[in-house]
Each structure stands twice: as structure tokens, then as C-alpha cells.
Amino acid sequence: MSNQSKQENSLTMNIVTDIEAWQVIRNNLGNKTIGFVPTMGNLHEGHLQLCQRAKRENEVAIISIFINPTQFNEQQDFATYPRTIEQDAKLLSDHQIDYLFAPEVNQMYPDQYEIQVTETMISRELEGAHRPGHFNGMLTVVLKLLNLIKATRAYFGEKDYQQWLLVKKMVTALFISTDIIACETVRASDQLAFSSRNQRLNPTQRETAAYFPKILKQTETIEKIIATLQSHGFKVDYIAEKWGRRLGAVWLDDVRLIDNISTTPQLTD
Ligand code: PAF
């Protein structure tokens, strides 16, 4: 994907890969309200709904695609992460997104990741306990992106609930003025949450995967939920109740899925 501005490839969206070029564009946007969606690309319906909301609620919508090496636990996982930038750019352009920001790793990490953001409490639990260092990498890159984009609002999916909590905590602690907005998890018709990882499931695994949200929702004890998941062939990393949610991470062979639901009763009229 080539650099900067509306491109030869007939997209109606501006693509910016160079940080200095982005900073000039950002200065020119002045006081316009900016909605920002950070992603690692390989966009699906979940991302697109975040993009639509960013577009609806702000004057300018900016999406980033940056496959962040520092938040992967396995080098292999980083190396094989789907890179679908051409297809993603087309989708974003079709959704009238104004800017795609897609920087290179060496531009984002001029310090070789010697400077890191660490949260010392909730980042150690659940996902953090199973993926050591993951949240350091995630928080560090999100801070860099928030500093570069200087958005009015940034949109995060609730599927990564612990990520959202940590980003919110970071912006409060570091006095960053972007509003961090949680958006409800987008699900396929069989309830499986959209995720780039779903593509790695073969048809049989994909069918089994749909049991994960359904079992997570059962009004049962955590022990019973774990046992039911195991009886369907899932390997369970954790199921836990915290922060008004029931959260879980499971494996189907080598594919890891996460999800969570609210445990606070929803008020109805
Ligand atoms: O949720 C993601 O896709 C990533 O963790 C994020 C927020 C884009 C940071 O790399």
C-alpha cells in the first residue's frame, strides 16, 4: 500500500503511512471532532460497526491498522497474523472513512520498545496472567496512537473487555483527553463474537465455537460452565466473574477465543 493521500487506486479515503506526514495532516484538522478506531486490520463486522459509530458521532473518522509486534506472545502468531491491508482499505473507503493511518513498525518504535507502559494491577489477571507482556505492548501502542491521532473519541469493542478497562485507566492516569468509548460486542447470527481469529477455525470448529457464548451465558456456577465447555471439546484458560462481567478464554485446538457477557441485570421498561 503506497503512502499518503488519496491514491492512484481510486479509493476515496486518504491513506497515511508516514508519521511526519500524518502530523501535518492532523495539525490541519484543527478543532474538528475526530473519531478514532485502532485496529490490527483484517477487518470484520465488529470493526465496521465501530467505524460507523466513529463516523456518525464525529466530523472526521480515522482508523488505524497496525499489527503491533509487542503485544503478541508468540513470534509465530505475529508472523502469521492475517495481513489484508488492500481489502481493508477498500472496505473502509466504502464506509466513507476519512483517513486510514497505517504506519510501519520502525516508525512506531524508534526506541526499539525500550519505553513501555505498565499497569501493575488488573493487567496481571485473566488475559494478563495467560499472556505475559501482552498488555504492556497493547497499552504502549495505544498510548502512541492516541498521542498521534489526538482524537475526541476512541472506540473499543467490549469483546476485549479487560483491554478496554486498561485503556480507560491509562487515559485517566496520564491525563489524555480522548474519551474512551466501549461498544457492545458484535455477534454472528449463532452468537459467536466476531473476531479475526474465527477465520482460523475449520467448519467443524466453527460450529463448536458457537457453543462458547451460549455456555458462557448459562445461569450456572463457574465450575459447571467450565465442565460443560470441556465436554464440548474446549480447553479452558479461565472463566471468571469480575467487573460486572463473566469473562472467558478457551481454546479449540490451536485457536484461542475470548468473550464476556454482562452479569448485572439489564433493566427493562
Ligand atoms: O484490539 C486490538 O485490535 C488491539 O489490541 C489494538 C487496540 C488495536 C492495539 O494494538
Side-chain angles (χ1 to χ4, degrees):
M1 183 63 60
S2 55
N3 201 7
Q4 282 99 260
S5 286
K6 294 205 172 83
Q7 295 297 311
E8 28 330 313
N9 50 23
S10 81
L11 298 177
T12 56
M13 175 183 61
N14 295 283
I15 300 169
V16 187
T17 58
D18 180 68
I19 290 186
E20 276 184 31
W22 167 254
Q23 285 167 323
V24 173
I25 294 172
R26 180 61 190 92
N27 278 342
N28 291 335
L29 290 173
N31 288 332
K32 287 194 168 149
T33 56
I34 293 186
F36 172 50
V37 182
T39 82
M40 298 207 295
N42 196 229
L43 303 179
H44 51 66
E45 188 53 34
H47 294 117
L48 293 177
Q49 293 209 13
L50 300 180
C51 294
Q52 277 160 358
R53 187 156 171 202
K55 172 102 195 137
R56 209 167 48 239
E57 296 179 354
N58 302 277
E59 288 166 282
V60 180
I62 301 170
I63 311 307
S64 66
I65 294 185
F66 179 68
I67 304 175
N68 176 31
T70 64
Q71 70 184 77
F72 285 81
N73 298 92
E74 309 284 336
Q75 179 52 34
Q76 176 65 4
D77 197 18
F78 171 65
T80 58
Y81 198 85
R83 286 157 169 84
T84 53
I85 187 102
E86 307 280 342
Q87 178 189 314
D88 293 341
K90 167 88 178 64
L91 268 176
L92 294 172
S93 179
D94 291 348
H95 282 75
Q96 278 97 45
I97 295 307
D98 301 292
Y99 293 93
L100 167 57
F101 178 59
E104 297 293 334
V105 173
N106 56 0
Q107 285 215 353
M108 285 297 276
Y109 288 101
D111 61 326
Q112 316 302 323
Y113 194 42
E114 286 167 7
I115 302 283
Q116 302 185 12
V117 179
T118 303
E119 191 276 356
T120 58
M121 301 295 289
I122 59 175
S123 68
R124 308 262 156 102
E125 325 175 23
L126 307 186
E127 281 302 283
H130 287 269
R131 302 185 61 191
H134 164 70
F135 283 132
N136 268 22
M138 182 282 290
L139 285 174
T140 305
V141 85
V142 170
L143 178 61
K144 287 171 188 265
L145 289 167
L146 291 177
N147 281 336
L148 287 165
I149 306 295
K150 298 186 176 51
T152 317
R153 303 178 184 87
Y155 298 84
F156 288 79
E158 276 185 350
K159 184 173 83 66
D160 296 291
Y161 196 81
Q162 199 176 355
Q163 166 171 284
W164 172 75
L165 276 181
L166 282 161
V167 170
K168 218 161 151 55
K169 185 170 175 185
M170 174 178 75
V171 301
T172 306
L174 301 183
F175 309 107
I176 295 166
S177 61
T178 304
D179 266 352
I180 304 299
I181 297 181
C183 303
E184 209 177 305
T185 302
V186 184
R187 299 179 181 280
S189 53
D190 63 2
Q191 294 303 300
L192 182 65
F194 282 107
S195 162
S196 302
R197 293 184 192 268
N198 297 354
Q199 282 183 21
R200 296 201 197 158
L201 299 166
N202 66 33
T204 316
Q205 291 170 329
R206 175 64 188 77
E207 246 177 65
T208 307
Y211 285 103
F212 178 32
K214 294 185 183 110
I215 297 169
L216 199 60
K217 277 185 197 154
Q218 289 176 353
T219 39
E220 291 290 354
T221 61
I222 290 182
E223 292 69 28
K224 180 82 186 14
I225 285 170
I226 293 176
T228 312
L229 284 164
Q230 286 166 338
S231 73
H232 280 79
F234 293 97
K235 183 175 152 287
V236 179
D237 265 359
Y238 63 83
I239 298 291
E241 286 184 6
K242 296 203 84 119
W243 312 308
R245 317 289 296 183
R246 180 183 284 160
L247 308 102
V250 296
W251 293 85
L252 273 177
D253 298 320
D254 60 345
V255 184
R256 190 169 185 273
L257 302 171
I258 64 170
D259 203 347
N260 68 89
I261 54 158
S262 171
T263 49
T264 46
Q266 307 294 313
L267 296 178
T268 49
D269 304 322

